[in-house]
């Protein structure tokens, strides 16, 4: 990564690296994503949506305990009142997560590649660990909105250290819900937190600590990128994606890296917690 890209990252809160993936890598990841559709559960299907705080997944241990597993989350519009699928299984999923980087060889190979390590090195990580990964489908006509947020709401460290790697496996356009960013918003701190509910008796396992900020639509810059592009995302930069209203899906693979050296503390009230016997896997340790 050139110093120009590092300057861009510090200025805008994200960088776009075109042709990060070779065509055969894009194809392998995309085919792995399609195969996940066939592995999805046939009953007791779980929905994932970001539209409101009381979403079903905030009450679900299935979601909360998915950090070291491969679990399947369906689109709101894919499931009928009786829990039955009302769309083709190949377009029913919202995402699969959150341990593809450990449990699936295709995603593991990219996540722990030297290219990813090099970027983390250039971003001055000393002991980076991968804390979660997701395959995001954003299927045509059904792929739901992702409301404006900062990744640090969910993956909070003190001081903030989360960085997302987001790989386009199909071309991303305004019509199919490309990512949109507020340039420079990472400089304004963390605007809210998504935390484990301190009330052990509440039905909501997770709660937000304050209302959602209002971000003007005019502040967002859409990133229309070709498949194979990698977008590196600062944990504090505000971003979103609109619903997919097109006839083309927008598959993507994404994972998040955090700093784990001694002076950085991973928040104990984050939804995602590593099991005691399975710490977040390291990319490297920088030796003094």
């Amino acid at each position: 990564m050139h110093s120009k890209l590092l300057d861009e990252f510090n200025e805008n809160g994200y960088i776009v690296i075109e042709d990060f993936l070779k065509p055969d890598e894009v194809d392998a990841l995309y085919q792995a994503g399609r195969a996940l559709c066939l592995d999805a559960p046939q009953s007791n299907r779980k929905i994932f949506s970001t539209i409101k705080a009381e979403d079903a997944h905030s009450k679900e241990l299935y979601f909360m305990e998915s950090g070291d597993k491969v679990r399947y989350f369906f689109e709101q519009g894919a499931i009928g009142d009786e829990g039955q699928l009302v769309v083709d299984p190949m377009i029913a999923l919202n995402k699969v997560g959150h341990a593809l980087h450990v449990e699936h060889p295709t995603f593991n190979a990219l996540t722990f590649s030297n290219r990813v390590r090099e970027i983390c090195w250039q971003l001055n990580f000393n002991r980076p660990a991968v804390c979660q990964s997701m395959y995001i489908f954003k299927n045509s006509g059904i792929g739901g909105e992702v409301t404006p947020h900062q990744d640090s709401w969910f993956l909070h460290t003190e001081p903030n250290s989360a960085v997302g790697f987001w790989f386009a496996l199909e071309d991303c356009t305004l019509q199919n819900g490309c990512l949109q960013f507020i340039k420079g918003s990472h400089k304004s701190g963390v605007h809210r937190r998504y935390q484990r509910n301190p009330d052990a008796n509440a039905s909501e396992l997770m709660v937000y600590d304050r209302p959602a900020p209002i971000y003007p639509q005019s502040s967002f810059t859409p990133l229309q990128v070709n498949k194979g592009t990698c977008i590196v995302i600062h944990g504090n930069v505000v971003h979103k994606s609109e619903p997919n209203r097109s006839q083309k899906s927008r598959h993507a693979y994404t994972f998040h890296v955090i700093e784990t050296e001694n002076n950085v503390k991973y928040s104990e009230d984050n939804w995602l917690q590593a099991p005691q016997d399975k710490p977040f896997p390291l990319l490297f340790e920088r030796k003094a």
Side-chain angles (χ1 to χ4, degrees), residues 1 47 56 64 77 101 104 110 142-144 146 150-151 162 168 181 184 194 198 203 224 232 237-238 254 270 278 280:
M1 189 165 71
I47 289 169
M64 298 276 288
H101 60 293
H104 193 295
L110 170 60
I142 194 173
V146 176
Q150 300 167 299
D151 292 338
F181 290 83
Y194 186 61
S203 67
Q224 301 192 74
V232 184
V237 74
V238 177
T254 183
N270 286 339
K278 281 191 193 171
F280 297 137

Side-chain angles (χ1 to χ4, degrees), residues 6-168:
L6 194 54
D7 292 345
E8 245 178 76
F9 185 74
N10 291 332
E11 182 59 32
N12 295 334
Y14 61 86
I15 45 176
V16 177
I17 308 173
E18 294 177 346
D19 300 319
F20 187 94
L21 299 175
K22 302 185 195 78
D24 58 329
E25 291 176 308
V26 172
D27 190 55
L29 292 157
Y30 177 80
Q31 294 303 335
R34 287 181 63 78
L36 290 172
C37 297
L38 303 176
D39 295 336
Q42 303 298 303
S43 61
N44 198 20
R45 299 177 173 106
K46 305 300 182 185
I47 289 169
F48 185 87
S49 164
T50 69
I51 303 303
K52 51 190 188 299
E54 61 274 18
D55 293 315
H57 68 267
S58 68
K59 302 184 176 77
E60 292 278 5
L61 284 171
Y62 183 83
F63 174 82
M64 298 276 288
E65 295 175 352
S66 63
D68 62 337
K69 301 174 185 70
V70 175
R71 287 191 164 170
Y72 301 81
F73 302 92
F74 289 83
E75 287 289 1
Q76 193 94 44
I79 310 292
D81 293 340
E82 308 294 314
Q84 79 282 19
L85 272 191
V86 294
V87 297
D88 185 318
M90 297 307 288
I91 63 161
L93 288 171
N94 172 292
K95 69 175 188 177
V96 176
H98 290 91
L100 289 166
H101 60 293
V102 174
E103 299 296 328
H104 193 295
T106 305
F107 299 108
N108 174 273
L110 170 60
T111 308
F112 293 91
S113 65
N114 285 335
R115 282 170 290 170
V116 167
R117 290 189 172 105
E118 178 62 25
I119 290 174
C120 290
W121 184 276
Q122 300 287 345
L123 291 175
N124 296 317
F125 277 95
N126 290 319
R127 197 171 180 269
V130 182
C131 55
Q132 69 157 17
S133 55
M134 294 179 284
Y135 193 97
I136 300 169
F137 292 88
K138 199 83 167 182
N139 284 306
S140 60
I142 194 173
E145 173 187 4
V146 176
T147 52
H149 66 282
Q150 300 167 299
D151 292 338
S152 294
W153 294 3
F154 311 100
L155 301 171
H156 188 264
T157 65
E158 194 61 56
N160 295 315
S161 71
V163 169
F165 285 74
W166 193 95
F167 301 90

